[in-house]
Amino acid sequence: MEPERLQPAVAAIAVTMTVQVVHSLAILAIPLMLPAAAAELGIQSRFAGPFTAMAYACCMVSGLLVASIIARTGALTLTVLASLIAAFGLAAFSGGSAGWTIAAALLLGMGYGVITPASAAILAGRVPQRMFGLVFSLKQTGVPIGFGLAGLAVPRLVEGIGWRSASLLLASILVVLAVVLLPFRRHLDQEAGSSTPSMSNPVRPFLTIVRSRQLRTLCLGSAAYLAAQACLGTFLVLYMIDILGLSMTEAGAYLALAQGAGIGARLVAGFLADRLAERFTLLAVLGGISTAGIVGTVAVAPAWSSMAISLACITYGIGALGWNGVMIAEVARWAPRGQVGAISAVSGAITYSGAVIGPAAYAVLVGLVSYRQAFLVVAGIVGSAAIALLRQATHSGRDSDDG
């Protein structure tokens, strides 16, 4: 990379990754606090499923809205506003009722839906396309880092200061983030390289996705993959508490282990993606690993050693978390020039449908059958998506590639 482009690229990567870490921690915090708060709220702990579904439904809505305003408002300005909205969400949870919990889901989701398209718009014009895979994967390591920090810190905060105070503390971190981001607005709100489109509504980028076989396959595949990822973050701790009889802290540690494996997987996947002629095969392989990890998690039993349980969690984490950066970078590659922000926003909305439907359906299946059978349904969906991506790989060699 040319020296004159290095400094703005590094600043963009640092800012977007930090934002991703904090918002990922925030959106997972309440599902992790529900086992301690459920009795006082008058709900069951598996309300974590509907909570996550509501949050990601708002992600879809805010993502679509961002598609039409990101050029006029500025990507980083929207990120600052998203951080303040998410802070209000965590503060609302401390209100201590089912109604305030629903409000928290809506506000957290509204904030989280802005992050991916805003980050794509910031990065796409400041990073060479040949480095998209690694850079987008590096930025997306913020998700497992944030989830891992949540798994380690939130249960301890709840045990140490209570769930209400923990929620307010996390809200204050988001406010601090918003303040810290303000000095960067002048540089990162600019449309570097004309990466952000000027579109009045999200219909045009949606039609672009529908008409493109590559973008269509990527969006549907990412929705399926995100369902597995959302179920990992939302239900692994509950699964291990209810099925294995582990404490909240022990179960949180296994979640953190899975997230840690996902961090390494994202970096390796991003490194490989920039060196491959096509990336659909890599995405299919990650889906296969995710399927195997889910099946391994289903097989976990109280008699298993901690090493065996850890291996199942690591495999699930590698597959369920390793794909995001490569997928987002691939969407940016196939997006028409000057439309990366809008295409990423609508693509993100489609992707988040997996996190809406997945946890909600999982919670229903747990009530009807069991945790294990619900996980097997998720494995089947992810495996089917992996096959579709592998089929696309056979066509991609005949398609033009701007990378």
Side-chain angles (χ1 to χ4, degrees):
M1 187 185 296
E2 298 84 354
E4 61 271 15
R5 296 189 63 186
L6 181 60
Q7 187 172 352
V10 170
I13 294 167
V15 166
T16 55
M17 185 174 176
T18 300
V19 168
Q20 190 69 67
V21 169
V22 177
H23 278 262
S24 298
L25 189 160
I27 203 165
L28 187 59
I30 291 177
L32 291 176
M33 288 189 272
L34 280 178
E40 192 172 345
L41 296 173
I43 58 178
Q44 294 183 325
S45 60
R46 71 167 184 253
F47 183 73
F51 176 93
T52 302
M54 286 186 289
Y56 281 104
C58 278
C59 285
M60 293 174 63
V61 174
S62 64
L64 290 172
L65 292 174
V66 164
S68 62
I69 65 173
I70 192 168
R72 297 191 304 272
T73 307
L76 197 67
T77 295
L78 286 172
T79 302
V80 170
L81 294 173
S83 299
L84 294 174
I85 290 169
F88 280 119
L90 279 167
F93 180 63
S94 68
S97 70
W100 283 119
T101 303
I102 292 171
L106 301 181
L107 290 168
L108 281 166
M110 193 180 301
Y112 198 74
V114 173
I115 302 308
T116 294
S119 296
I122 290 170
L123 292 172
R126 295 169 175 83
V127 174
Q129 197 175 81
R130 68 178 184 277
M131 298 179 64
F132 270 14
L134 180 59
V135 169
F136 278 81
S137 294
L138 179 62
K139 176 269 193 185
Q140 283 300 116
T141 60
V143 176
I145 290 173
F147 284 2
L149 288 173
L152 289 174
V154 172
R156 287 168 172 78
L157 284 174
V158 171
E159 292 175 357
I161 62 176
W163 62 270
R164 292 177 189 267
S165 297
S167 186
L168 291 172
L169 176 61
L170 294 173
S172 68
I173 293 174
L174 281 158
V175 173
V176 171
L177 173 65
V179 173
V180 170
L181 291 176
L182 288 174
F184 294 93
R185 288 178 56 212
R186 178 182 175 186
H187 300 290
L188 298 185
D189 266 347
Q190 296 173 354
E191 298 181 31
S194 299
S195 64
T196 308
S198 297
M199 290 189 175
S200 59
N201 62 70
V203 174
R204 286 174 58 192
F206 177 77
L207 291 176
T208 299
I209 291 171
V210 170
R211 292 165 182 161
S212 167
R213 184 176 65 246
Q214 296 83 7
L215 289 172
R216 189 172 63 244
T217 303
L218 289 166
C219 290
L220 294 176
S222 62
Y225 283 15
L226 188 60
Q229 186 182 119
C231 288
L232 170 68
T234 305
F235 291 106
L236 184 66
V237 169
L238 295 174
Y239 172 68
M240 292 193 162
I241 291 173
D242 292 348
I243 301 300
L244 302 185
L246 299 182
S247 70
M248 188 176 178
T249 301
E250 290 171 329
Y254 281 116
L255 175 62
L257 184 64
Q259 304 297 335
I263 294 171
R266 287 193 180 188
L267 292 175
V268 171
F271 177 82
L272 292 173
D274 289 333
R275 285 155 180 79
L276 295 173
E278 57 86 16
R279 275 71 54 179
F280 287 93
T281 300
L282 175 61
L283 289 167
V285 169
L286 288 168
I289 294 172
S290 180
T291 303
I294 297 169
V295 172
T297 301
V298 168
V300 165
W304 281 30
S305 68
S306 59
M307 182 67 72
I309 297 172
S310 297
L311 182 59
C313 292
I314 287 170
T315 305
Y316 192 169
I318 289 172
L321 295 159
W323 59 272
N324 297 67
V326 177
M327 193 81 78
I328 294 169
E330 200 67 0
V331 168
R333 278 193 180 97
W334 289 104
R337 188 174 300 277
Q339 296 184 30
V340 173
I343 294 294
S344 296
V346 176
S347 169
I350 297 170
T351 299
Y352 286 136
S353 68
V356 174
I357 299 170
Y362 186 101
V364 171
L365 287 171
V366 168
L368 293 175
V369 284
S370 69
Y371 277 107
R372 297 184 192 279
Q373 288 171 299
F375 267 128
L376 287 175
V377 172
V378 175
I381 292 170
V382 174
S384 298
I387 292 171
L389 285 161
L390 191 59
R391 291 180 63 187
Q392 176 57 42
T394 64
H395 298 287
S396 62
R398 297 192 295 271
D399 295 313
S400 62
D401 189 326
D402 296 328

